């Protein structure tokens, strides 16, 4: 933890100190897409912009989930030197908009009819006070499991459909000497697992009441206790070296056949694809057992900062490129996510992508689409961080399930 904070501050200081500015015609983009799969997807965006004559000034801040990137961004804005465009999630976008820092994209949005093609659930975060303030590039989802097919086949394990089958499968893998669950011990990764586990343990009404409405009854319910109990079961199936491991290294354990499963958002698919793996043949993607039919979403958006009139043209170009249907297809095929527009054909997507697109559309229609707590789409950062602390402390054995429930309710009531 300390190491991360120090690193972020160091990076922030360097960035602020260098007072880096994008030159005219360049866009400076702050993002945390630094893993192999993420970088491959980012390349699609950079190349697309190149064809439009827009130069890319890269501002990567490593750290899955974007916590380090947020620290660096705050330092840049405080120093009066915000980047042109910033990868951002959910309520963080609205926070910056409320502070009056974000540019108005209404002209390009109206010209291109974004209102009609971007799902309402995403518009909630992309618009503020009637103005478009960011361009959604994708829809990710957190309640996925990634599995090595050969490992399962060798052990005679069928794709688990229920939570109990999932636990039985992990037991079998562990007994074989392999790692059952690949996991990186970082708060955001534990919270990412918690998303799907909570949905599986308590269902959609519970998820909504607890994580979106912050209802005390749901926060202290038997379903919450069951969620923590299931997290403790997962803890018993990770390897001894999980602490601090990056998410993509956990994905690599599944890719290389050292581990059977990873519970992670569908950015993990980008790592499998980047390693040349094929869904259905080399790996399986399925919903966290018990959460099928629901989609916990997380949409990466690019918010544009108010950096002056000269940048506005490039910002509009960038936003327009991001929103083009052809780009949304090309980018998301590589990233592991699905398009943020409803009118993009699924033709170029692999089986997991096609499944993800169909499930998103169905969940959107049936009211089974919910914002991811772990990735800032259920509540503001203060609440999210309070939840992270308790989830991680429990995962690391500091609390039993009953204590964790009490701690969570307390932490939320203080944070909200
Ligand atoms: C998420 C982000 C994804 C992916 C992941 C791991 O927050 O939405 O695009 O990059 O972090 O870094």
């Amino acid at each position: 933890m300390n190491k991360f904070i120090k690193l972020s501050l160091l990076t922030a200081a360097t960035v602020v100190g260098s007072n880096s500015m994008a030159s005219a015609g360049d866009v400076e983009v702050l993002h945390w897409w630094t893993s192999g799969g993420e970088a491959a997807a980012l390349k699609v965006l950079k190349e697309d912009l190149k064809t439009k004559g827009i130069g890319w000034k890269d501002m990567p801040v490593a750290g899955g989930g974007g916590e380090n990137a947020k620290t660096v961004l705050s330092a840049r804005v405080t120093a009066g030197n915000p980047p042109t465009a910033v990868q951002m999630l959910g309520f963080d976008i609205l926070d910056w908009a409320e502070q009056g820092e974000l540019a108005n994209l209404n002209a390009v949005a109206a010209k291109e009819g974004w209102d009609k093609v971007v799902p309402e659930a995403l518009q909630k975060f992309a618009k503020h006070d009637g103005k478009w303030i960011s361009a959604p590039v994708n829809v990710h989802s957190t309640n996925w499991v990634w599995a090595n097919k050969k490992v399962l086949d060798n052990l005679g394990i069928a794709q688990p459909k229920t939570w109990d089958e999932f636990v039985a499968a992990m037991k079998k893998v562990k007994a074989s000497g392999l790692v059952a669950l690949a996991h990186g011990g970082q708060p955001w990764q534990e919270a990412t697992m918690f998303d799907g586990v909570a949905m599986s343990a308590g269902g959609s009404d519970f998820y909504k009441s607890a994580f979106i409405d912050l209802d005390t009854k749901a926060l202290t319910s038997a379903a919450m206790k069951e969620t923590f109990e299931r997290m403790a079961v997962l803890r018993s199936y990770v390897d001894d070296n999980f602490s601090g491991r990056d998410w993509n290294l956990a994905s690599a354990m599944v890719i290389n056949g050292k581990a059977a499963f990873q519970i992670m958002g569908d950015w993990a698919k980008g790592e499998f694809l980047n390693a040349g793996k094929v869904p259905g043949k080399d790996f399986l993607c399925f919903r966290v057992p018990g959460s099928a039919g629901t989609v916990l979403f997380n949409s990466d958006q690019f918010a544009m900062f108010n950096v002056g009139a000269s940048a506005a043209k490039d910002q509009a170009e960038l936003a327009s490129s991001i929103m083009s249907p052809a780009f949304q297809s090309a980018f998301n095929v590589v990233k592991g996510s699905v398009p943020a527009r409803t009118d993009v054909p699924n033709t170029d997507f692999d089986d997991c992508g096609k499944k993800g697109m169909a499930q998103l559309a169905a969940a959107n229609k049936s009211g089974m689409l919910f914002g991811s707590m772990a990735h800032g789409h259920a509540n503001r950062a203060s609440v999210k961080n309070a939840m992270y602390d308790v989830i991680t402390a429990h995962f690391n054995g500091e609390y039993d399930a009953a204590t964790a429930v009490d701690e969570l309710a307390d932490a939320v009531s203080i944070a909200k």
Side-chain angles (χ1 to χ4, degrees), residues 32-35 38 63-66 87-89 138 140 188 247 264 267 298-300 335 337 374-375 377:
W32 63 91
W33 285 338
T34 55
S35 78
E38 290 173 329
Q87 177 191 359
M88 235 184 249
L89 302 180
N138 64 19
H140 272 302
W188 77 271
W247 67 273
M264 190 38 65
W267 45 90
N298 167 30
S299 167
D300 290 302
K335 183 70 170 70
S337 36
H375 293 263
H377 283 71

PDB file of all heavy atoms in Angstrom, residues 32-35 38 63-66 87-89 138 140 188 247 264 267 298-300 335 337 374-375 377, ligand 1:
ATOM      1  N   TRP A  32      -4.772   4.234 -17.703  1.00  0.00           N
ATOM      2  CA  TRP A  32      -4.030   3.184 -16.981  1.00  0.00           C
ATOM      3  C   TRP A  32      -3.999   1.884 -17.766  1.00  0.00           C
ATOM      4  O   TRP A  32      -3.915   0.800 -17.198  1.00  0.00           O
ATOM      5  CB  TRP A  32      -4.584   3.003 -15.576  1.00  0.00           C
ATOM      6  CG  TRP A  32      -6.014   2.536 -15.436  1.00  0.00           C
ATOM      7  CD1 TRP A  32      -6.446   1.241 -15.349  1.00  0.00           C
ATOM      8  CD2 TRP A  32      -7.179   3.350 -15.302  1.00  0.00           C
ATOM      9  NE1 TRP A  32      -7.808   1.212 -15.178  1.00  0.00           N
ATOM     10  CE2 TRP A  32      -8.291   2.487 -15.142  1.00  0.00           C
ATOM     11  CE3 TRP A  32      -7.414   4.742 -15.296  1.00  0.00           C
ATOM     12  CZ2 TRP A  32      -9.601   2.956 -14.982  1.00  0.00           C
ATOM     13  CZ3 TRP A  32      -8.714   5.195 -15.153  1.00  0.00           C
ATOM     14  CH2 TRP A  32      -9.785   4.324 -14.991  1.00  0.00           C
ATOM     15  N   TRP A  33      -4.032   2.007 -19.069  1.00  0.00           N
ATOM     16  CA  TRP A  33      -4.025   0.793 -19.894  1.00  0.00           C
ATOM     17  C   TRP A  33      -2.594   0.393 -20.240  1.00  0.00           C
ATOM     18  O   TRP A  33      -2.093   0.694 -21.330  1.00  0.00           O
ATOM     19  CB  TRP A  33      -4.848   1.032 -21.161  1.00  0.00           C
ATOM     20  CG  TRP A  33      -6.327   1.008 -20.882  1.00  0.00           C
ATOM     21  CD1 TRP A  33      -6.948   0.409 -19.829  1.00  0.00           C
ATOM     22  CD2 TRP A  33      -7.369   1.601 -21.665  1.00  0.00           C
ATOM     23  NE1 TRP A  33      -8.319   0.583 -19.916  1.00  0.00           N
ATOM     24  CE2 TRP A  33      -8.594   1.311 -21.027  1.00  0.00           C
ATOM     25  CE3 TRP A  33      -7.387   2.341 -22.854  1.00  0.00           C
ATOM     26  CZ2 TRP A  33      -9.824   1.730 -21.533  1.00  0.00           C
ATOM     27  CZ3 TRP A  33      -8.610   2.762 -23.359  1.00  0.00           C
ATOM     28  CH2 TRP A  33      -9.810   2.451 -22.704  1.00  0.00           C
ATOM     29  N   THR A  34      -1.947  -0.295 -19.311  1.00  0.00           N
ATOM     30  CA  THR A  34      -0.531  -0.610 -19.487  1.00  0.00           C
ATOM     31  C   THR A  34      -0.242  -2.117 -19.574  1.00  0.00           C
ATOM     32  O   THR A  34       0.890  -2.506 -19.790  1.00  0.00           O
ATOM     33  CB  THR A  34       0.290  -0.028 -18.315  1.00  0.00           C
ATOM     34  OG1 THR A  34      -0.264  -0.506 -17.088  1.00  0.00           O
ATOM     35  CG2 THR A  34       0.244   1.492 -18.318  1.00  0.00           C
ATOM     36  N   SER A  35      -1.243  -2.976 -19.377  1.00  0.00           N
ATOM     37  CA  SER A  35      -0.989  -4.420 -19.522  1.00  0.00           C
ATOM     38  C   SER A  35      -0.905  -4.750 -21.015  1.00  0.00           C
ATOM     39  O   SER A  35      -1.236  -3.901 -21.860  1.00  0.00           O
ATOM     40  CB  SER A  35      -2.124  -5.220 -18.876  1.00  0.00           C
ATOM     41  OG  SER A  35      -3.252  -5.226 -19.737  1.00  0.00           O
ATOM     42  N   GLU A  38      -4.332  -4.479 -22.703  1.00  0.00           N
ATOM     43  CA  GLU A  38      -4.793  -3.082 -22.699  1.00  0.00           C
ATOM     44  C   GLU A  38      -4.007  -2.252 -23.708  1.00  0.00           C
ATOM     45  O   GLU A  38      -4.577  -1.430 -24.440  1.00  0.00           O
ATOM     46  CB  GLU A  38      -4.632  -2.485 -21.293  1.00  0.00           C
ATOM     47  CG  GLU A  38      -5.587  -3.059 -20.263  1.00  0.00           C
ATOM     48  CD  GLU A  38      -5.282  -2.579 -18.846  1.00  0.00           C
ATOM     49  OE1 GLU A  38      -4.093  -2.310 -18.537  1.00  0.00           O
ATOM     50  OE2 GLU A  38      -6.218  -2.485 -18.048  1.00  0.00           O
ATOM     51  N   GLY A  63      -1.374   0.699 -13.010  1.00  0.00           N
ATOM     52  CA  GLY A  63      -2.163   0.365 -11.811  1.00  0.00           C
ATOM     53  C   GLY A  63      -3.574   0.023 -12.208  1.00  0.00           C
ATOM     54  O   GLY A  63      -4.365   0.906 -12.529  1.00  0.00           O
ATOM     55  N   GLY A  64      -3.879  -1.277 -12.220  1.00  0.00           N
ATOM     56  CA  GLY A  64      -5.210  -1.745 -12.612  1.00  0.00           C
ATOM     57  C   GLY A  64      -6.297  -1.062 -11.806  1.00  0.00           C
ATOM     58  O   GLY A  64      -6.097  -0.724 -10.636  1.00  0.00           O
ATOM     59  N   GLY A  65      -7.440  -0.848 -12.447  1.00  0.00           N
ATOM     60  CA  GLY A  65      -8.554  -0.210 -11.755  1.00  0.00           C
ATOM     61  C   GLY A  65      -8.439   1.304 -11.684  1.00  0.00           C
ATOM     62  O   GLY A  65      -9.417   1.984 -11.397  1.00  0.00           O
ATOM     63  N   GLY A  66      -7.230   1.845 -11.911  1.00  0.00           N
ATOM     64  CA  GLY A  66      -7.088   3.294 -12.075  1.00  0.00           C
ATOM     65  C   GLY A  66      -6.882   4.115 -10.814  1.00  0.00           C
ATOM     66  O   GLY A  66      -6.908   5.343 -10.870  1.00  0.00           O
ATOM     67  N   GLN A  87      -9.003   8.931 -19.125  1.00  0.00           N
ATOM     68  CA  GLN A  87      -9.819   7.739 -18.922  1.00  0.00           C
ATOM     69  C   GLN A  87     -10.452   7.863 -17.534  1.00  0.00           C
ATOM     70  O   GLN A  87      -9.763   8.133 -16.550  1.00  0.00           O
ATOM     71  CB  GLN A  87      -8.930   6.493 -18.972  1.00  0.00           C
ATOM     72  CG  GLN A  87      -9.680   5.198 -18.689  1.00  0.00           C
ATOM     73  CD  GLN A  87      -8.744   4.003 -18.488  1.00  0.00           C
ATOM     74  OE1 GLN A  87      -7.527   4.134 -18.575  1.00  0.00           O
ATOM     75  NE2 GLN A  87      -9.312   2.843 -18.221  1.00  0.00           N
ATOM     76  N   MET A  88     -11.755   7.651 -17.470  1.00  0.00           N
ATOM     77  CA  MET A  88     -12.435   7.856 -16.196  1.00  0.00           C
ATOM     78  C   MET A  88     -13.628   6.913 -16.055  1.00  0.00           C
ATOM     79  O   MET A  88     -14.190   6.483 -17.054  1.00  0.00           O
ATOM     80  CB  MET A  88     -12.938   9.294 -16.146  1.00  0.00           C
ATOM     81  CG  MET A  88     -12.466  10.067 -14.958  1.00  0.00           C
ATOM     82  SD  MET A  88     -13.219  11.668 -14.962  1.00  0.00           S
ATOM     83  CE  MET A  88     -11.803  12.677 -15.304  1.00  0.00           C
ATOM     84  N   LEU A  89     -14.002   6.678 -14.812  1.00  0.00           N
ATOM     85  CA  LEU A  89     -15.096   5.748 -14.552  1.00  0.00           C
ATOM     86  C   LEU A  89     -16.227   6.386 -13.756  1.00  0.00           C
ATOM     87  O   LEU A  89     -15.976   7.090 -12.771  1.00  0.00           O
ATOM     88  CB  LEU A  89     -14.584   4.560 -13.726  1.00  0.00           C
ATOM     89  CG  LEU A  89     -13.441   3.712 -14.289  1.00  0.00           C
ATOM     90  CD1 LEU A  89     -13.089   2.597 -13.301  1.00  0.00           C
ATOM     91  CD2 LEU A  89     -13.816   3.111 -15.634  1.00  0.00           C
ATOM     92  N   ASN A 138     -16.473   1.985 -24.093  1.00  0.00           N
ATOM     93  CA  ASN A 138     -16.787   0.551 -23.981  1.00  0.00           C
ATOM     94  C   ASN A 138     -17.772   0.289 -22.852  1.00  0.00           C
ATOM     95  O   ASN A 138     -18.118   1.199 -22.095  1.00  0.00           O
ATOM     96  CB  ASN A 138     -15.509  -0.261 -23.723  1.00  0.00           C
ATOM     97  CG  ASN A 138     -14.842   0.061 -22.385  1.00  0.00           C
ATOM     98  OD1 ASN A 138     -15.455   0.609 -21.483  1.00  0.00           O
ATOM     99  ND2 ASN A 138     -13.576  -0.280 -22.277  1.00  0.00           N
ATOM    100  N   HIS A 140     -17.529  -2.660 -19.963  1.00  0.00           N
ATOM    101  CA  HIS A 140     -16.955  -3.854 -19.364  1.00  0.00           C
ATOM    102  C   HIS A 140     -17.959  -4.409 -18.365  1.00  0.00           C
ATOM    103  O   HIS A 140     -18.922  -3.741 -17.995  1.00  0.00           O
ATOM    104  CB  HIS A 140     -15.668  -3.499 -18.599  1.00  0.00           C
ATOM    105  CG  HIS A 140     -14.429  -3.528 -19.431  1.00  0.00           C
ATOM    106  ND1 HIS A 140     -14.026  -4.645 -20.109  1.00  0.00           N
ATOM    107  CD2 HIS A 140     -13.481  -2.587 -19.670  1.00  0.00           C
ATOM    108  CE1 HIS A 140     -12.886  -4.387 -20.740  1.00  0.00           C
ATOM    109  NE2 HIS A 140     -12.534  -3.147 -20.496  1.00  0.00           N
ATOM    110  N   TRP A 188      -8.723  -3.317  -5.073  1.00  0.00           N
ATOM    111  CA  TRP A 188      -9.683  -3.224  -6.173  1.00  0.00           C
ATOM    112  C   TRP A 188      -9.986  -4.602  -6.777  1.00  0.00           C
ATOM    113  O   TRP A 188     -11.101  -4.836  -7.262  1.00  0.00           O
ATOM    114  CB  TRP A 188      -9.206  -2.236  -7.264  1.00  0.00           C
ATOM    115  CG  TRP A 188      -8.128  -2.771  -8.168  1.00  0.00           C
ATOM    116  CD1 TRP A 188      -6.787  -2.686  -7.967  1.00  0.00           C
ATOM    117  CD2 TRP A 188      -8.307  -3.480  -9.408  1.00  0.00           C
ATOM    118  NE1 TRP A 188      -6.115  -3.310  -8.993  1.00  0.00           N
ATOM    119  CE2 TRP A 188      -7.018  -3.789  -9.896  1.00  0.00           C
ATOM    120  CE3 TRP A 188      -9.417  -3.880 -10.141  1.00  0.00           C
ATOM    121  CZ2 TRP A 188      -6.818  -4.490 -11.084  1.00  0.00           C
ATOM    122  CZ3 TRP A 188      -9.214  -4.578 -11.341  1.00  0.00           C
ATOM    123  CH2 TRP A 188      -7.928  -4.875 -11.800  1.00  0.00           C
ATOM    124  N   TRP A 247      -3.305  -7.815 -11.622  1.00  0.00           N
ATOM    125  CA  TRP A 247      -4.395  -8.631 -12.162  1.00  0.00           C
ATOM    126  C   TRP A 247      -3.987  -9.397 -13.419  1.00  0.00           C
ATOM    127  O   TRP A 247      -4.405 -10.533 -13.640  1.00  0.00           O
ATOM    128  CB  TRP A 247      -5.609  -7.736 -12.477  1.00  0.00           C
ATOM    129  CG  TRP A 247      -5.368  -6.778 -13.612  1.00  0.00           C
ATOM    130  CD1 TRP A 247      -4.815  -5.535 -13.527  1.00  0.00           C
ATOM    131  CD2 TRP A 247      -5.648  -6.992 -14.995  1.00  0.00           C
ATOM    132  NE1 TRP A 247      -4.731  -4.960 -14.774  1.00  0.00           N
ATOM    133  CE2 TRP A 247      -5.237  -5.830 -15.687  1.00  0.00           C
ATOM    134  CE3 TRP A 247      -6.203  -8.046 -15.725  1.00  0.00           C
ATOM    135  CZ2 TRP A 247      -5.361  -5.699 -17.072  1.00  0.00           C
ATOM    136  CZ3 TRP A 247      -6.330  -7.921 -17.110  1.00  0.00           C
ATOM    137  CH2 TRP A 247      -5.916  -6.748 -17.753  1.00  0.00           C
ATOM    138  N   MET A 264     -12.727 -12.037 -12.724  1.00  0.00           N
ATOM    139  CA  MET A 264     -12.216 -10.712 -13.113  1.00  0.00           C
ATOM    140  C   MET A 264     -13.101 -10.142 -14.213  1.00  0.00           C
ATOM    141  O   MET A 264     -13.790 -10.889 -14.915  1.00  0.00           O
ATOM    142  CB  MET A 264     -10.767 -10.904 -13.616  1.00  0.00           C
ATOM    143  CG  MET A 264      -9.916  -9.666 -13.865  1.00  0.00           C
ATOM    144  SD  MET A 264     -10.050  -8.264 -12.733  1.00  0.00           S
ATOM    145  CE  MET A 264      -9.435  -8.893 -11.178  1.00  0.00           C
ATOM    146  N   TRP A 267     -11.823  -7.304 -19.100  1.00  0.00           N
ATOM    147  CA  TRP A 267     -10.519  -6.862 -19.597  1.00  0.00           C
ATOM    148  C   TRP A 267      -9.547  -8.035 -19.547  1.00  0.00           C
ATOM    149  O   TRP A 267      -8.554  -8.050 -20.284  1.00  0.00           O
ATOM    150  CB  TRP A 267      -9.978  -5.660 -18.821  1.00  0.00           C
ATOM    151  CG  TRP A 267     -10.108  -5.749 -17.332  1.00  0.00           C
ATOM    152  CD1 TRP A 267      -9.190  -6.268 -16.473  1.00  0.00           C
ATOM    153  CD2 TRP A 267     -11.221  -5.308 -16.533  1.00  0.00           C
ATOM    154  NE1 TRP A 267      -9.667  -6.189 -15.182  1.00  0.00           N
ATOM    155  CE2 TRP A 267     -10.901  -5.607 -15.185  1.00  0.00           C
ATOM    156  CE3 TRP A 267     -12.437  -4.706 -16.809  1.00  0.00           C
ATOM    157  CZ2 TRP A 267     -11.769  -5.315 -14.121  1.00  0.00           C
ATOM    158  CZ3 TRP A 267     -13.296  -4.427 -15.753  1.00  0.00           C
ATOM    159  CH2 TRP A 267     -12.962  -4.720 -14.429  1.00  0.00           C
ATOM    160  N   ASN A 298     -19.267  -1.621 -16.073  1.00  0.00           N
ATOM    161  CA  ASN A 298     -18.191  -0.665 -15.813  1.00  0.00           C
ATOM    162  C   ASN A 298     -17.820  -0.104 -17.169  1.00  0.00           C
ATOM    163  O   ASN A 298     -17.382  -0.848 -18.034  1.00  0.00           O
ATOM    164  CB  ASN A 298     -17.029  -1.448 -15.184  1.00  0.00           C
ATOM    165  CG  ASN A 298     -15.750  -0.676 -15.147  1.00  0.00           C
ATOM    166  OD1 ASN A 298     -15.765   0.545 -15.057  1.00  0.00           O
ATOM    167  ND2 ASN A 298     -14.634  -1.378 -15.230  1.00  0.00           N
ATOM    168  N   SER A 299     -18.049   1.167 -17.374  1.00  0.00           N
ATOM    169  CA  SER A 299     -17.796   1.736 -18.704  1.00  0.00           C
ATOM    170  C   SER A 299     -16.634   2.713 -18.654  1.00  0.00           C
ATOM    171  O   SER A 299     -16.662   3.686 -17.903  1.00  0.00           O
ATOM    172  CB  SER A 299     -19.063   2.460 -19.183  1.00  0.00           C
ATOM    173  OG  SER A 299     -18.780   3.273 -20.301  1.00  0.00           O
ATOM    174  N   ASP A 300     -15.594   2.425 -19.440  1.00  0.00           N
ATOM    175  CA  ASP A 300     -14.492   3.393 -19.567  1.00  0.00           C
ATOM    176  C   ASP A 300     -14.958   4.537 -20.448  1.00  0.00           C
ATOM    177  O   ASP A 300     -15.463   4.316 -21.560  1.00  0.00           O
ATOM    178  CB  ASP A 300     -13.281   2.732 -20.231  1.00  0.00           C
ATOM    179  CG  ASP A 300     -12.610   1.718 -19.318  1.00  0.00           C
ATOM    180  OD1 ASP A 300     -12.200   2.109 -18.211  1.00  0.00           O
ATOM    181  OD2 ASP A 300     -12.495   0.545 -19.723  1.00  0.00           O
ATOM    182  N   LYS A 335     -10.089  -5.249 -26.741  1.00  0.00           N
ATOM    183  CA  LYS A 335     -10.076  -4.895 -25.305  1.00  0.00           C
ATOM    184  C   LYS A 335     -10.754  -5.937 -24.411  1.00  0.00           C
ATOM    185  O   LYS A 335     -10.440  -6.037 -23.234  1.00  0.00           O
ATOM    186  CB  LYS A 335     -10.750  -3.528 -25.125  1.00  0.00           C
ATOM    187  CG  LYS A 335     -10.749  -2.980 -23.703  1.00  0.00           C
ATOM    188  CD  LYS A 335      -9.343  -2.581 -23.264  1.00  0.00           C
ATOM    189  CE  LYS A 335      -9.297  -1.811 -21.957  1.00  0.00           C
ATOM    190  NZ  LYS A 335      -9.622  -2.597 -20.774  1.00  0.00           N
ATOM    191  N   SER A 337     -14.020  -5.850 -23.952  1.00  0.00           N
ATOM    192  CA  SER A 337     -15.289  -5.204 -23.591  1.00  0.00           C
ATOM    193  C   SER A 337     -16.251  -5.279 -24.772  1.00  0.00           C
ATOM    194  O   SER A 337     -15.946  -5.878 -25.801  1.00  0.00           O
ATOM    195  CB  SER A 337     -15.006  -3.745 -23.232  1.00  0.00           C
ATOM    196  OG  SER A 337     -13.982  -3.224 -24.064  1.00  0.00           O
ATOM    197  N   ALA A 374     -17.293  -2.084  -7.469  1.00  0.00           N
ATOM    198  CA  ALA A 374     -15.828  -2.071  -7.447  1.00  0.00           C
ATOM    199  C   ALA A 374     -15.245  -1.019  -8.378  1.00  0.00           C
ATOM    200  O   ALA A 374     -14.143  -0.521  -8.138  1.00  0.00           O
ATOM    201  CB  ALA A 374     -15.307  -3.451  -7.827  1.00  0.00           C
ATOM    202  N   HIS A 375     -15.955  -0.699  -9.433  1.00  0.00           N
ATOM    203  CA  HIS A 375     -15.388   0.225 -10.429  1.00  0.00           C
ATOM    204  C   HIS A 375     -16.148   1.548 -10.501  1.00  0.00           C
ATOM    205  O   HIS A 375     -16.259   2.164 -11.572  1.00  0.00           O
ATOM    206  CB  HIS A 375     -15.267  -0.475 -11.786  1.00  0.00           C
ATOM    207  CG  HIS A 375     -14.238  -1.562 -11.715  1.00  0.00           C
ATOM    208  ND1 HIS A 375     -12.931  -1.394 -12.116  1.00  0.00           N
ATOM    209  CD2 HIS A 375     -14.315  -2.801 -11.196  1.00  0.00           C
ATOM    210  CE1 HIS A 375     -12.251  -2.495 -11.850  1.00  0.00           C
ATOM    211  NE2 HIS A 375     -13.067  -3.369 -11.297  1.00  0.00           N
ATOM    212  N   HIS A 377     -19.249   2.593 -10.275  1.00  0.00           N
ATOM    213  CA  HIS A 377     -20.509   2.836 -10.973  1.00  0.00           C
ATOM    214  C   HIS A 377     -21.739   2.616 -10.090  1.00  0.00           C
ATOM    215  O   HIS A 377     -22.863   2.645 -10.570  1.00  0.00           O
ATOM    216  CB  HIS A 377     -20.616   1.954 -12.223  1.00  0.00           C
ATOM    217  CG  HIS A 377     -19.795   2.454 -13.363  1.00  0.00           C
ATOM    218  ND1 HIS A 377     -18.423   2.387 -13.371  1.00  0.00           N
ATOM    219  CD2 HIS A 377     -20.151   3.057 -14.534  1.00  0.00           C
ATOM    220  CE1 HIS A 377     -17.969   2.909 -14.503  1.00  0.00           C
ATOM    221  NE2 HIS A 377     -18.991   3.329 -15.223  1.00  0.00           N
TER     222      HIS A 377
HETATM  223  C1  LIG B   1     -10.833  -1.092 -15.093  1.00  0.00           C
HETATM  224  C2  LIG B   1     -11.011  -0.512 -16.466  1.00  0.00           C
HETATM  225  C3  LIG B   1     -10.668  -1.527 -17.484  1.00  0.00           C
HETATM  226  C4  LIG B   1      -9.373  -2.240 -17.185  1.00  0.00           C
HETATM  227  C5  LIG B   1      -9.186  -2.570 -15.705  1.00  0.00           C
HETATM  228  C6  LIG B   1      -7.824  -3.085 -15.326  1.00  0.00           C
HETATM  229  O1  LIG B   1     -11.141  -0.138 -14.128  1.00  0.00           O
HETATM  230  O2  LIG B   1     -12.333  -0.111 -16.627  1.00  0.00           O
HETATM  231  O3  LIG B   1     -10.637  -0.928 -18.756  1.00  0.00           O
HETATM  232  O4  LIG B   1      -8.350  -1.523 -17.687  1.00  0.00           O
HETATM  233  O5  LIG B   1      -9.504  -1.498 -14.901  1.00  0.00           O
HETATM  234  O6  LIG B   1      -6.832  -2.124 -15.501  1.00  0.00           O
END
